[in-house]
Amino acid sequence: MRIDKYLANMNVGSRKEVHLLIKKGIVAVNDVIVKTPKQQVKESDQVTVNGDAVAYQKYHYFLLNKPKGVLSATEDRNQPTVISLLAPQDRYQGIVPVGRLDKDTTGLLLLTNDGQLNHELLAPGKHVDKVYRAEIAGVANDATVKTFASGMTLGDGTKLQPAELKILSQDEEHGRSTIEIKIREGKYHQIKRMFGAVGMKVVELERISMGDLTLPANLKRGEYLELKLEDIVG
């Protein structure tokens, strides 16, 4: 690819900024100073800017602990997005969230520019498990577990695949429950609508795992870490 695209993709700067670096004579390929932004470069070439190596990496993967109040989107005029939580040097071209978490939902969210992986994780036929922990207004019991396991049909006719509900605690005095739920799809507000269908309300919702990925206990809200592909697909 062109050297200006190579460097822009690696977040060295915008195309315009890269052109200025080339004019300054501080960009080199295999120890030869680059004269034009149109110069072709291969991934195997040694590229340096002011003597610092810039290795090419096509795909990037970030595991974010999404906080409340942040949109699972790439940009928004009025509200912060998950992309805005990335450091400027990590905002590579094409980085998008894999699926979405509601604005008030927290927890594990994968960000990547690997379109094929994004498709494989979200494709309905792949049945990638997603586990959430939630605080519920209402006392979930064995009947709730059976209802969810049977595959619900919501009031608007939406049919859901069976879900695995685990009751972690019940507080009958205050009408509260703490639960974990495993689903294999991700319909709009699915978990909130499921509990709403049985007369309960989701108060807090956090995604704790997706496929082979689990939210690290030491990763704080708003923090993220970079992964390798093998960390995601084994």
Side-chain angles (χ1 to χ4, degrees):
M1 70 180 71
R2 286 173 48 138
I3 184 64
D4 57 350
K5 185 175 189 295
Y6 178 108
L7 293 175
N9 284 355
M10 291 302 96
N11 270 355
V12 171
S14 66
R15 286 285 187 100
K16 185 176 180 179
E17 291 168 336
V18 167
H19 290 181
L20 291 175
L21 295 175
I22 292 171
K23 281 186 177 181
K24 289 181 180 179
I26 60 174
V27 177
V29 175
N30 300 326
D31 297 323
V32 178
I33 297 297
V34 173
K35 301 296 185 182
T36 171
K38 296 181 180 180
Q39 179 171 327
Q40 295 293 311
V41 61
K42 303 186 296 292
E43 290 184 29
S44 59
D45 288 333
Q46 183 182 32
V47 177
T48 58
V49 176
N50 206 23
D52 296 324
V54 181
Y56 192 80
Q57 183 179 339
K58 187 174 183 180
Y59 296 126
H60 299 268
Y61 311 90
F62 299 105
L63 189 160
L64 170 71
N65 186 345
K66 179 189 170 299
K68 282 187 177 182
V70 179
L71 300 180
S72 295
T74 55
E75 58 183 350
D76 189 88
R77 290 183 179 181
N78 303 310
Q79 302 181 75
T81 70
V82 291
I83 301 300
S84 68
L85 297 176
L86 298 177
Q89 65 269 22
D90 290 332
R91 297 176 193 174
Y92 297 96
Q93 290 186 8
I95 292 282
V96 298
V98 177
R100 64 186 299 276
L101 294 179
D102 298 335
K103 182 178 177 181
D104 59 349
T105 299
T106 62
L108 187 154
L109 186 65
L110 184 65
L111 308 173
T112 184
N113 58 348
D114 186 340
Q116 181 61 35
L117 176 68
N118 195 329
H119 171 75
E120 289 180 1
L121 291 175
L122 296 179
K126 297 294 183 179
H127 303 301
V128 176
D129 290 338
K130 293 169 280 287
V131 179
Y132 296 77
R133 183 175 290 124
E135 297 294 327
I136 307 297
V139 181
N141 54 29
D142 289 343
T144 318
V145 173
K146 291 178 181 178
T147 298
F148 282 21
S150 66
M152 302 174 67
T153 299
L154 301 177
D156 62 358
T158 300
K159 294 183 178 181
L160 302 177
Q161 296 178 16
E164 297 178 31
L165 177 64
K166 181 188 298 183
I167 300 171
L168 303 180
S169 68
Q170 297 167 310
D171 183 348
E172 295 191 8
E173 181 181 354
H174 298 96
R176 294 277 181 144
S177 308
T178 302
I179 63 93
E180 281 187 8
I181 182 169
K182 180 190 292 184
I183 61 175
R184 294 179 176 83
E185 53 193 342
K187 290 186 166 61
Y188 180 70
H189 286 175
Q190 179 174 336
I191 294 174
K192 295 176 182 178
R193 293 164 69 198
M194 290 172 72
F195 279 99
V198 294
M200 302 180 197
K201 182 179 179 180
V202 174
V203 179
E204 299 282 346
L205 185 62
E206 175 188 35
R207 182 155 67 188
I208 58 176
S209 74
M210 179 178 182
D212 293 330
L213 290 177
T214 300
L215 187 67
N218 61 348
L219 191 66
K220 297 178 182 178
R221 294 275 189 258
E223 293 185 344
Y224 65 94
L225 52 87
E226 186 162 10
L227 302 175
K228 296 179 179 178
L229 180 60
E230 51 265 33
D231 296 327
I232 303 168
V233 297

